Amino acid sequence: MTSDLVQDSWTRIDAWLREHAPRTFATLRPPAGDEEIAAAQQELRVTFPPDLVASLQRHNGALEGPEAFRFSTGDRLLGVSGILGDTGLMRGIDQGLDGETEGYWLHDYVKFGSYDVTSDGLLMDCRTGRDSFGVIGRFCDETGTSSGQADSLGEYLAELAYTLERGQDAGVVTFNGRLFWEGRPPARPQYRADEPLPAPDE
């Protein structure tokens, strides 16, 4: 089950953060309660995919601030209250566009990661009965919604755990107990000893 993948991935992420970035780990909040999660679904009139429920049962978001746990996209993990607030805000923005940009934000999208300084962030498709149910996407102010970040939150977190475990080669930097993300350096071309050196313009 993908919800098991969520738990396994968070176990790996938590273990890595405890060892390498304890100040960032300390910003991850305790689990959300089942009643709180159920009430949020009722308020938003959506069904959370099992992966989102499993993740909230592990960490109810991350505290705000410079040390906050963030995904490699720069988005802070949202808890139940943040999901309600940010998703409600996005619904209001979309209604204010008078349909000028179709698909800018659909009613059954739920935002679970926030860039904080803008309305950009990670979202999950909560349209039941569709192949896209549970698919991860990202919203950007200027371009709207793009999908394809991952087929599920479990897969997204598993990739994140793998990236952290790879360390600096994957753009992971830690300093003074905090996690930072930086762009990955371009891959160096490989040459054999018997090959001629490339020309300057190459």
Side-chain angles (χ1 to χ4, degrees):
M1 294 178 62
T2 54
S3 56
D4 292 335
L5 182 59
V6 169
Q7 295 297 338
D8 292 343
S9 299
W10 270 123
T11 296
R12 293 167 59 194
I13 293 167
D14 288 353
W16 190 93
L17 290 173
R18 281 193 194 97
E19 180 178 355
H20 300 282
R23 291 172 63 180
T24 297
F25 174 72
T27 68
L28 288 170
R29 301 183 65 217
D34 293 341
E35 293 183 1
E36 185 181 10
I37 296 171
Q41 295 178 78
Q42 185 174 7
E43 182 173 338
L44 292 174
R45 303 187 306 281
V46 298
T47 297
F48 289 171
D51 282 14
L52 181 56
V53 174
S55 183
L56 289 168
Q57 289 172 337
R58 187 64 176 260
H59 291 300
N60 190 15
L63 299 174
E64 295 185 50
E67 298 177 355
F69 171 81
R70 294 181 179 276
F71 297 102
S72 59
T73 53
D75 303 308
R76 178 176 57 87
L77 178 69
L78 292 177
V80 172
S81 62
I83 288 172
L84 287 171
D86 278 38
T87 301
L89 176 65
M90 294 309 304
R91 288 178 177 179
I93 291 174
D94 193 45
Q95 290 174 0
L97 293 174
D98 297 326
E100 291 180 5
T101 53
E102 184 178 353
Y104 191 75
W105 184 272
L106 300 182
H107 178 275
D108 289 350
Y109 287 163
V110 167
K111 193 172 174 186
F112 70 93
S114 175
Y115 199 66
D116 286 337
V117 294
T118 67
S119 59
D120 296 9
L122 291 166
L123 63 93
M124 183 176 292
D125 191 334
C126 294
R127 292 177 292 172
T128 56
R130 292 173 173 262
D131 291 340
S132 60
F133 182 63
V135 167
I136 305 302
R138 192 165 191 278
F139 173 82
C140 180
D141 275 335
E142 297 179 353
T143 58
T145 301
S146 61
S147 60
Q149 299 288 324
D151 289 337
S152 69
L153 184 56
E155 289 186 11
Y156 192 79
L157 291 173
E159 178 63 26
L160 176 64
Y162 173 70
T163 301
L164 289 172
E165 290 163 355
R166 286 183 58 206
Q168 194 167 1
D169 288 344
V172 179
V173 176
T174 58
F175 177 75
N176 198 21
R178 292 172 56 186
L179 168 65
F180 298 89
W181 297 99
E182 66 176 19
R184 302 179 187 181
R188 294 181 179 179
Q190 300 296 317
Y191 297 104
R192 295 194 313 269
D194 59 345
E195 285 184 320
L197 292 174
D201 60 345
E202 296 179 277

